[in-house]
Amino acid sequence: MAGVLGRAAGVLAAPVAWAAALVDRPMRAWQNATGTNGMAAVFLAPNMLIFGVFVLFPLVINIAYSMTGGTALFLPDRTFVGAAQYERLLSCADYTDPKTCEEDQFWIAVRNTGVFVVFQVALMTVVAVVTALILNREIRGRSFWRAVFFFPVLLSPVVVGLIWRWILQRDGLLNAALFQLGFTPHVWLTDRFWAFAAAIGVSIWAHVGFYALIVLAGLQAIPKDLYEAAEMDGTKPGRVFWRITLPLLMPNLLVVIVLALIRAVQIFDEVFVLTGGGPGTSTMFLTQYIYEVGFASLLKNPGLASAASILMGGVLVVLTLVQLAVARRNEAKGKRQ
Amino acid sequence: MGQITLSGISKNFGAVQVLEGIDLDIRKGELVVFVGPSGCGKSTLLRLIAGLDKPTGGTIAIDGRDVTPVPAADRGLAMVFQSYALYPHMSVRQNMAFGLENAHLPRPEIDARIAEASRMLEIAKLLDRRPGQLSGGQRQRVAIGRAIVRNPTAFLLDEPLSNLDAELRVSMRAELAALHQRLGTTMVYVTHDQVEAMTLADRIVVLRAGRIEQVDTPLALFNAPANVFVAGFIGAPNMNFIQGVVRGPVEGGVAVTAFDGRVVPVDAAAGALAPGDAVTLGVRPHHLRRVGPDEGLPVTVHLVEALGAETVVHGRTAEGQRILAVLAGQEPLASGDVIALAFERRQTHAFDKDGLRVAGN
Ligand SMILES: Nc1ncnc2c1ncn2[C@@H]1O[C@H](COP(=O)(O)OP(=O)(O)O)[C@@H](O)[C@H]1O
Ligand SMILES: [Mg+2]
């Protein structure tokens, strides 16, 4: 057995050794030319190249687009308009009422996204904690249930949207079941309230497994003997949760909240497939607005879409900085203990 | 108050029997130490008393009341965990107050108890710190403080000193003994360290593989171990064991052939041993004396540990039997030297083929 493995390792090692010999000479030459520190640049180069082409370059182009006007697609054909697109997006007589804004669709999307973020993140956090608490128990088939809750995370958002449209549409699974049970079916996805609720519910269903996993990791990191100490101290179960579990879970909860926030602001694919933003504009969120203005509407306006995406990007940068600060704080806390 | 009675306690984890047939009466105010090798069930037994686990069989009574079905919180006991199990997000004060708040004690009473305990344990200056900002010794004190403020009927301590360095362990041991004197509360103390057991205990419970081997005062265990296991476990360094065969009766005991045909007389009750019986002789390293060349057992020295006040000699007899001797004072010995060792008849223990003690004082 060991002999076979050894031989296999030998066979595998041969091409590696050959490749190593091949790059040895140029690498040495490079190191002689640039010094040891210069080598870092060599190893970083491939990744920086990919990052540059697919992230940095589009970002710069996007900023450039946001300062141009017209419907032309290629940048050289477009006219420079300065901050006009931003002014158009931000001009409102009354910021609490989208109808008074020049670009009312943008503000409807902003308001929808805001409401969505608040409810989705709050609910997501609660559902993730409850799920993790249940999965952390000594239940029968625990690994199976953990897999069940994580499974939707692996699905493509489009598949998630399709599955739920299939369930919720007029002649869908839910209505069929209701009809069978003797209730009156309801057209869920054309009802403003239920369509929005479905957007929240479906996005939670699709992602909660991921956040529950983060919470579960936090739960398992709480030493068992703290619970035994609390038991000796005569602590009631509810108080154990509020005074021991929750405070010790805080670092993980902060991570969950910030990550969920970042993702909720970007919500698009599964809801777009599920409701198409409707009924009317009641489930149209920012990313969909940008997509439609830039690519899907009859009068494409890449400049306006770019400006809106830059504004949204700004919000995401702030959230990401918050996340990094949270991570750093957790790390510092971890070191202190 | 604080009498704990265990009757016929057994505990299984699944198919594995961890404790079996434990009968024990812990008296009011007593400091009882559970000692035994790692994995013998000490912690499990303590957790059963605490109520953190339920026994598979048997009953637990505290002050005459059967508490077997009573949850941990209502047994009036306090536990000090090996890991201290302090709540990391609470200050020392909050750690100590937590259990009292659960019991809805009035605030002035809580404050008074914390003040009293922190004065006693000299942790008054640490009250506003968190456990993460304390040294190991300070955390230990806080853990004890958290137990004291509860005013428990008994303290349960599971290897409380094992996370401290050697020096601190010795001083904390003395403090714990003083604390027990002062409070007069029953304490059940778990350790695998027999020195800790000997120094602290009123009575020691020696456990092995889920059974009680012997219960007695430290000196009684040392002088009259019930069997080979206790004899080997209690006392440092470990007792020397030598295999032998009974030859016949002598005045007040029997003669045993051991050491390459030498004959050793041991005290034994009449009828306990018959000629031809296999016996194990036990002699403590401190009971071996160095004598003139022809007056004792020749032992070849392999290793000498000169500790100043005493000299520890590792050696072998002519037949290859290992012998450990602790000689008083400083002996100029080197590896390879042959010395003669002798021991007193009254300090020689003998154990029958089942390991039970049949002779010795
Ligand atoms: N929760 C448990 N499940 C299964 N086996 C256990 C459990 N707790 C302890 N044991 C087993 O019981 C035996 C005694 O454990 P323990 O009481 O912790 O020993 P000690 O404290 O004397 O070192 C060990 O063999 C251990 O593996
Ligand atoms: Mg233990």
Side-chain angles (χ1 to χ4, degrees), chain A residues 225-226 228-235 239 243-244 247-248 336-337, chain B residues 47 52 73 77 83 85-89 98-99 101-102 132 146 150:
Chain A
D225 53 14
L226 289 188
E228 296 186 335
E231 198 180 336
M232 294 303 292
D233 271 343
T235 321
R239 199 165 138 86
R243 291 296 307 275
I244 293 175
L248 293 176
R336 241 187 297 130
Q337 280 177 4
Chain B
R47 291 168 55 84
L52 293 172
L77 307 174
S83 61
L86 299 173
Y87 310 120
H89 55 298
F98 192 64
E101 288 167 359
N102 289 340
R146 184 171 67 175
R150 302 266 320 278

mmCIF file of all heavy atoms in Angstrom, chain A residues 225-226 228-235 239 243-244 247-248 336-337, chain B residues 47 52 73 77 83 85-89 98-99 101-102 132 146 150:
data_model
loop_
_atom_site.group_PDB
_atom_site.id
_atom_site.type_symbol
_atom_site.label_atom_id
_atom_site.label_comp_id
_atom_site.label_asym_id
_atom_site.label_seq_id
_atom_site.Cartn_x
_atom_site.Cartn_y
_atom_site.Cartn_z
ATOM 1 N N ASP A 225 -18.928 24.557 29.958
ATOM 2 C CA ASP A 225 -18.967 24.666 31.423
ATOM 3 C C ASP A 225 -19.559 26.003 31.883
ATOM 4 O O ASP A 225 -19.992 26.114 33.021
ATOM 5 C CB ASP A 225 -17.605 24.365 32.071
ATOM 6 C CG ASP A 225 -16.503 25.194 31.475
ATOM 7 O OD1 ASP A 225 -16.814 26.164 30.771
ATOM 8 O OD2 ASP A 225 -15.332 24.872 31.718
ATOM 9 N N LEU A 226 -19.611 26.996 30.973
ATOM 10 C CA LEU A 226 -20.309 28.237 31.350
ATOM 11 C C LEU A 226 -21.786 27.945 31.588
ATOM 12 O O LEU A 226 -22.402 28.489 32.510
ATOM 13 C CB LEU A 226 -20.166 29.284 30.249
ATOM 14 C CG LEU A 226 -18.792 29.896 30.062
ATOM 15 C CD1 LEU A 226 -18.863 31.035 29.076
ATOM 16 C CD2 LEU A 226 -18.247 30.382 31.392
ATOM 17 N N GLU A 228 -22.921 25.096 32.523
ATOM 18 C CA GLU A 228 -23.034 24.322 33.760
ATOM 19 C C GLU A 228 -22.904 25.235 34.975
ATOM 20 O O GLU A 228 -23.609 25.054 35.969
ATOM 21 C CB GLU A 228 -21.974 23.216 33.768
ATOM 22 C CG GLU A 228 -22.236 22.232 32.643
ATOM 23 C CD GLU A 228 -21.321 21.040 32.662
ATOM 24 O OE1 GLU A 228 -20.205 21.148 33.200
ATOM 25 O OE2 GLU A 228 -21.731 19.993 32.125
ATOM 26 N N ALA A 229 -22.007 26.229 34.854
ATOM 27 C CA ALA A 229 -21.888 27.201 35.945
ATOM 28 C C ALA A 229 -23.219 27.928 36.117
ATOM 29 O O ALA A 229 -23.693 28.129 37.241
ATOM 30 C CB ALA A 229 -20.768 28.187 35.654
ATOM 31 N N ALA A 230 -23.835 28.288 34.991
ATOM 32 C CA ALA A 230 -25.124 28.982 35.052
ATOM 33 C C ALA A 230 -26.191 28.077 35.660
ATOM 34 O O ALA A 230 -27.060 28.535 36.412
ATOM 35 C CB ALA A 230 -25.546 29.431 33.660
ATOM 36 N N GLU A 231 -26.093 26.789 35.352
ATOM 37 C CA GLU A 231 -27.046 25.832 35.925
ATOM 38 C C GLU A 231 -26.875 25.772 37.444
ATOM 39 O O GLU A 231 -27.854 25.802 38.194
ATOM 40 C CB GLU A 231 -26.799 24.456 35.289
ATOM 41 C CG GLU A 231 -27.951 23.485 35.457
ATOM 42 C CD GLU A 231 -27.647 22.146 34.797
ATOM 43 O OE1 GLU A 231 -26.805 22.105 33.865
ATOM 44 O OE2 GLU A 231 -28.240 21.147 35.225
ATOM 45 N N MET A 232 -25.606 25.689 37.889
ATOM 46 C CA MET A 232 -25.342 25.682 39.329
ATOM 47 C C MET A 232 -25.832 26.986 39.965
ATOM 48 O O MET A 232 -26.246 26.995 41.116
ATOM 49 C CB MET A 232 -23.844 25.521 39.615
ATOM 50 C CG MET A 232 -23.229 24.201 39.221
ATOM 51 S SD MET A 232 -23.997 22.756 39.966
ATOM 52 C CE MET A 232 -23.564 22.919 41.690
ATOM 53 N N ASP A 233 -25.726 28.086 39.200
ATOM 54 C CA ASP A 233 -26.161 29.385 39.704
ATOM 55 C C ASP A 233 -27.681 29.528 39.669
ATOM 56 O O ASP A 233 -28.200 30.594 40.000
ATOM 57 C CB ASP A 233 -25.528 30.513 38.876
ATOM 58 C CG ASP A 233 -24.171 30.935 39.437
ATOM 59 O OD1 ASP A 233 -23.904 30.599 40.599
ATOM 60 O OD2 ASP A 233 -23.396 31.588 38.724
ATOM 61 N N GLY A 234 -28.376 28.481 39.231
ATOM 62 C CA GLY A 234 -29.836 28.520 39.240
ATOM 63 C C GLY A 234 -30.428 29.487 38.230
ATOM 64 O O GLY A 234 -31.384 30.193 38.527
ATOM 65 N N THR A 235 -29.851 29.526 37.018
ATOM 66 C CA THR A 235 -30.309 30.479 36.009
ATOM 67 C C THR A 235 -31.432 29.875 35.177
ATOM 68 O O THR A 235 -31.320 28.753 34.706
ATOM 69 C CB THR A 235 -29.136 30.843 35.074
ATOM 70 O OG1 THR A 235 -27.954 30.962 35.866
ATOM 71 C CG2 THR A 235 -29.406 32.152 34.356
ATOM 72 N N ARG A 239 -33.083 33.492 30.809
ATOM 73 C CA ARG A 239 -32.014 34.356 31.290
ATOM 74 C C ARG A 239 -30.656 33.855 30.808
ATOM 75 O O ARG A 239 -29.755 34.648 30.534
ATOM 76 C CB ARG A 239 -32.059 34.391 32.813
ATOM 77 C CG ARG A 239 -31.342 35.560 33.421
ATOM 78 C CD ARG A 239 -31.753 35.709 34.881
ATOM 79 N NE ARG A 239 -30.608 36.014 35.728
ATOM 80 C CZ ARG A 239 -30.165 37.253 35.928
ATOM 81 N NH1 ARG A 239 -30.742 38.266 35.342
ATOM 82 N NH2 ARG A 239 -29.121 37.454 36.705
ATOM 83 N N ARG A 243 -28.488 36.530 28.987
ATOM 84 C CA ARG A 243 -27.329 36.997 29.754
ATOM 85 C C ARG A 243 -26.039 36.283 29.396
ATOM 86 O O ARG A 243 -24.953 36.787 29.669
ATOM 87 C CB ARG A 243 -27.601 36.826 31.272
ATOM 88 C CG ARG A 243 -28.663 37.766 31.816
ATOM 89 C CD ARG A 243 -28.255 39.231 31.722
ATOM 90 N NE ARG A 243 -26.954 39.510 32.313
ATOM 91 C CZ ARG A 243 -26.764 39.749 33.595
ATOM 92 N NH1 ARG A 243 -27.755 39.783 34.425
ATOM 93 N NH2 ARG A 243 -25.543 39.995 34.043
ATOM 94 N N ILE A 244 -26.126 35.086 28.823
ATOM 95 C CA ILE A 244 -24.889 34.359 28.530
ATOM 96 C C ILE A 244 -24.740 34.096 27.032
ATOM 97 O O ILE A 244 -23.768 34.537 26.415
ATOM 98 C CB ILE A 244 -24.837 33.057 29.339
ATOM 99 C CG1 ILE A 244 -24.705 33.416 30.820
ATOM 100 C CG2 ILE A 244 -23.654 32.193 28.902
ATOM 101 C CD1 ILE A 244 -24.764 32.287 31.756
ATOM 102 N N PRO A 247 -24.815 37.652 24.706
ATOM 103 C CA PRO A 247 -23.612 38.498 24.791
ATOM 104 C C PRO A 247 -22.381 37.816 24.195
ATOM 105 O O PRO A 247 -21.574 38.455 23.537
ATOM 106 C CB PRO A 247 -23.436 38.720 26.297
ATOM 107 C CG PRO A 247 -24.732 38.408 26.918
ATOM 108 C CD PRO A 247 -25.445 37.450 26.023
ATOM 109 N N LEU A 248 -22.254 36.506 24.426
ATOM 110 C CA LEU A 248 -21.058 35.823 23.927
ATOM 111 C C LEU A 248 -21.149 35.581 22.425
ATOM 112 O O LEU A 248 -20.158 35.270 21.777
ATOM 113 C CB LEU A 248 -20.862 34.494 24.674
ATOM 114 C CG LEU A 248 -20.515 34.681 26.145
ATOM 115 C CD1 LEU A 248 -20.414 33.351 26.862
ATOM 116 C CD2 LEU A 248 -19.208 35.444 26.290
ATOM 117 N N ARG A 336 -7.485 39.491 23.605
ATOM 118 C CA ARG A 336 -7.460 39.875 25.016
ATOM 119 C C ARG A 336 -7.870 38.730 25.925
ATOM 120 O O ARG A 336 -7.496 38.680 27.085
ATOM 121 C CB ARG A 336 -8.390 41.079 25.232
ATOM 122 C CG ARG A 336 -7.630 42.295 25.753
ATOM 123 C CD ARG A 336 -8.556 43.423 26.130
ATOM 124 N NE ARG A 336 -9.298 43.932 25.011
ATOM 125 C CZ ARG A 336 -10.619 44.102 25.044
ATOM 126 N NH1 ARG A 336 -11.302 43.761 26.098
ATOM 127 N NH2 ARG A 336 -11.245 44.587 24.007
ATOM 128 N N GLN A 337 -8.655 37.799 25.404
ATOM 129 C CA GLN A 337 -9.161 36.734 26.289
ATOM 130 C C GLN A 337 -8.218 35.561 26.416
ATOM 131 O O GLN A 337 -7.337 35.380 25.645
ATOM 132 C CB GLN A 337 -10.510 36.258 25.773
ATOM 133 C CG GLN A 337 -11.581 37.231 26.221
ATOM 134 C CD GLN A 337 -12.956 36.865 25.693
ATOM 135 O OE1 GLN A 337 -13.117 35.858 25.050
ATOM 136 N NE2 GLN A 337 -13.922 37.695 25.967
ATOM 137 N N ARG B 47 -20.054 15.438 39.547
ATOM 138 C CA ARG B 47 -21.144 16.018 38.758
ATOM 139 C C ARG B 47 -22.486 15.397 39.124
ATOM 140 O O ARG B 47 -23.519 16.057 39.042
ATOM 141 C CB ARG B 47 -20.864 15.850 37.268
ATOM 142 C CG ARG B 47 -19.691 16.709 36.784
ATOM 143 C CD ARG B 47 -19.250 16.298 35.389
ATOM 144 N NE ARG B 47 -20.372 16.333 34.469
ATOM 145 C CZ ARG B 47 -20.774 17.427 33.849
ATOM 146 N NH1 ARG B 47 -20.119 18.547 34.023
ATOM 147 N NH2 ARG B 47 -21.807 17.408 33.051
ATOM 148 N N LEU B 52 -25.486 17.968 37.899
ATOM 149 C CA LEU B 52 -25.269 18.279 36.484
ATOM 150 C C LEU B 52 -25.507 17.041 35.623
ATOM 151 O O LEU B 52 -25.779 17.147 34.433
ATOM 152 C CB LEU B 52 -23.850 18.809 36.262
ATOM 153 C CG LEU B 52 -23.565 20.172 36.894
ATOM 154 C CD1 LEU B 52 -22.085 20.526 36.805
ATOM 155 C CD2 LEU B 52 -24.402 21.249 36.234
ATOM 156 N N ALA B 73 -29.779 23.426 40.480
ATOM 157 C CA ALA B 73 -29.973 24.754 41.069
ATOM 158 C C ALA B 73 -30.587 24.675 42.462
ATOM 159 O O ALA B 73 -30.360 25.543 43.295
ATOM 160 C CB ALA B 73 -30.861 25.589 40.153
ATOM 161 N N LEU B 77 -25.859 23.615 46.444
ATOM 162 C CA LEU B 77 -24.426 23.360 46.374
ATOM 163 C C LEU B 77 -23.767 24.391 45.458
ATOM 164 O O LEU B 77 -24.420 24.983 44.605
ATOM 165 C CB LEU B 77 -24.172 21.960 45.808
ATOM 166 C CG LEU B 77 -24.891 20.815 46.514
ATOM 167 C CD1 LEU B 77 -24.674 19.512 45.773
ATOM 168 C CD2 LEU B 77 -24.404 20.700 47.957
ATOM 169 N N SER B 83 -11.814 24.635 34.923
ATOM 170 C CA SER B 83 -11.539 25.734 33.993
ATOM 171 C C SER B 83 -11.987 27.068 34.570
ATOM 172 O O SER B 83 -11.926 28.072 33.889
ATOM 173 C CB SER B 83 -12.285 25.476 32.696
ATOM 174 O OG SER B 83 -13.675 25.441 32.985
ATOM 175 N N ALA B 85 -14.630 28.464 34.649
ATOM 176 C CA ALA B 85 -15.949 28.748 34.055
ATOM 177 C C ALA B 85 -16.499 30.095 34.491
ATOM 178 O O ALA B 85 -17.680 30.227 34.787
ATOM 179 C CB ALA B 85 -16.944 27.619 34.381
ATOM 180 N N LEU B 86 -15.632 31.112 34.535
ATOM 181 C CA LEU B 86 -16.124 32.465 34.825
ATOM 182 C C LEU B 86 -16.789 33.014 33.571
ATOM 183 O O LEU B 86 -16.351 32.715 32.464
ATOM 184 C CB LEU B 86 -14.953 33.363 35.242
ATOM 185 C CG LEU B 86 -14.220 32.919 36.505
ATOM 186 C CD1 LEU B 86 -12.984 33.770 36.726
ATOM 187 C CD2 LEU B 86 -15.146 32.991 37.707
ATOM 188 N N TYR B 87 -17.837 33.814 33.760
ATOM 189 C CA TYR B 87 -18.500 34.413 32.605
ATOM 190 C C TYR B 87 -17.589 35.501 32.040
ATOM 191 O O TYR B 87 -17.348 36.506 32.718
ATOM 192 C CB TYR B 87 -19.863 34.996 33.006
ATOM 193 C CG TYR B 87 -20.723 34.021 33.795
ATOM 194 C CD1 TYR B 87 -21.155 34.310 35.076
ATOM 195 C CD2 TYR B 87 -21.078 32.795 33.248
ATOM 196 C CE1 TYR B 87 -21.926 33.409 35.795
ATOM 197 C CE2 TYR B 87 -21.853 31.887 33.955
ATOM 198 C CZ TYR B 87 -22.270 32.197 35.230
ATOM 199 O OH TYR B 87 -23.035 31.307 35.940
ATOM 200 N N PRO B 88 -17.077 35.303 30.812
ATOM 201 C CA PRO B 88 -16.014 36.191 30.329
ATOM 202 C C PRO B 88 -16.468 37.621 30.063
ATOM 203 O O PRO B 88 -15.657 38.533 30.077
ATOM 204 C CB PRO B 88 -15.552 35.523 29.030
ATOM 205 C CG PRO B 88 -16.674 34.649 28.614
ATOM 206 C CD PRO B 88 -17.410 34.251 29.861
ATOM 207 N N HIS B 89 -17.783 37.804 29.842
ATOM 208 C CA HIS B 89 -18.259 39.132 29.472
ATOM 209 C C HIS B 89 -18.759 39.912 30.684
ATOM 210 O O HIS B 89 -19.277 40.999 30.545
ATOM 211 C CB HIS B 89 -19.389 39.007 28.453
ATOM 212 C CG HIS B 89 -20.509 38.125 28.925
ATOM 213 N ND1 HIS B 89 -20.321 36.785 29.206
ATOM 214 C CD2 HIS B 89 -21.803 38.377 29.188
ATOM 215 C CE1 HIS B 89 -21.459 36.266 29.608
ATOM 216 N NE2 HIS B 89 -22.379 37.209 29.610
ATOM 217 N N PHE B 98 -24.192 37.101 39.946
ATOM 218 C CA PHE B 98 -25.130 36.487 39.005
ATOM 219 C C PHE B 98 -26.067 35.474 39.676
ATOM 220 O O PHE B 98 -27.292 35.550 39.538
ATOM 221 C CB PHE B 98 -24.349 35.825 37.869
ATOM 222 C CG PHE B 98 -25.210 35.424 36.705
ATOM 223 C CD1 PHE B 98 -25.873 36.365 35.946
ATOM 224 C CD2 PHE B 98 -25.353 34.083 36.367
ATOM 225 C CE1 PHE B 98 -26.659 36.005 34.872
ATOM 226 C CE2 PHE B 98 -26.135 33.705 35.296
ATOM 227 C CZ PHE B 98 -26.788 34.666 34.545
ATOM 228 N N GLY B 99 -25.491 34.538 40.412
ATOM 229 C CA GLY B 99 -26.305 33.504 41.049
ATOM 230 C C GLY B 99 -27.242 34.088 42.101
ATOM 231 O O GLY B 99 -28.364 33.614 42.288
ATOM 232 N N GLU B 101 -28.490 37.152 42.060
ATOM 233 C CA GLU B 101 -29.575 37.848 41.355
ATOM 234 C C GLU B 101 -30.621 36.839 40.879
ATOM 235 O O GLU B 101 -31.822 37.101 40.922
ATOM 236 C CB GLU B 101 -29.023 38.621 40.150
ATOM 237 C CG GLU B 101 -28.228 39.848 40.555
ATOM 238 C CD GLU B 101 -27.421 40.415 39.398
ATOM 239 O OE1 GLU B 101 -27.466 39.845 38.287
ATOM 240 O OE2 GLU B 101 -26.730 41.419 39.630
ATOM 241 N N ASN B 102 -30.148 35.679 40.433
ATOM 242 C CA ASN B 102 -31.089 34.635 40.013
ATOM 243 C C ASN B 102 -32.018 34.265 41.158
ATOM 244 O O ASN B 102 -33.182 33.940 40.947
ATOM 245 C CB ASN B 102 -30.335 33.379 39.568
ATOM 246 C CG ASN B 102 -29.629 33.594 38.252
ATOM 247 O OD1 ASN B 102 -29.967 34.498 37.508
ATOM 248 N ND2 ASN B 102 -28.642 32.765 37.979
ATOM 249 N N GLY B 132 -10.835 38.049 31.734
ATOM 250 C CA GLY B 132 -9.720 38.085 30.786
ATOM 251 C C GLY B 132 -8.572 38.966 31.235
ATOM 252 O O GLY B 132 -7.472 38.876 30.708
ATOM 253 N N ARG B 146 -17.086 33.235 43.873
ATOM 254 C CA ARG B 146 -18.419 33.069 43.308
ATOM 255 C C ARG B 146 -19.155 31.926 44.027
ATOM 256 O O ARG B 146 -20.373 31.958 44.177
ATOM 257 C CB ARG B 146 -18.306 32.762 41.812
ATOM 258 C CG ARG B 146 -19.634 32.669 41.122
ATOM 259 C CD ARG B 146 -19.498 32.583 39.630
ATOM 260 N NE ARG B 146 -18.881 31.335 39.196
ATOM 261 C CZ ARG B 146 -18.734 30.984 37.914
ATOM 262 N NH1 ARG B 146 -19.122 31.791 36.970
ATOM 263 N NH2 ARG B 146 -18.160 29.840 37.606
ATOM 264 N N ARG B 150 -22.563 32.267 47.537
ATOM 265 C CA ARG B 150 -23.830 31.535 47.458
ATOM 266 C C ARG B 150 -24.238 30.944 48.806
ATOM 267 O O ARG B 150 -25.347 30.454 48.958
ATOM 268 C CB ARG B 150 -23.720 30.401 46.438
ATOM 269 C CG ARG B 150 -23.349 30.834 45.031
ATOM 270 C CD ARG B 150 -24.589 31.052 44.193
ATOM 271 N NE ARG B 150 -25.600 30.051 44.442
ATOM 272 C CZ ARG B 150 -25.616 28.850 43.889
ATOM 273 N NH1 ARG B 150 -24.691 28.515 43.021
ATOM 274 N NH2 ARG B 150 -26.564 27.999 44.180
#
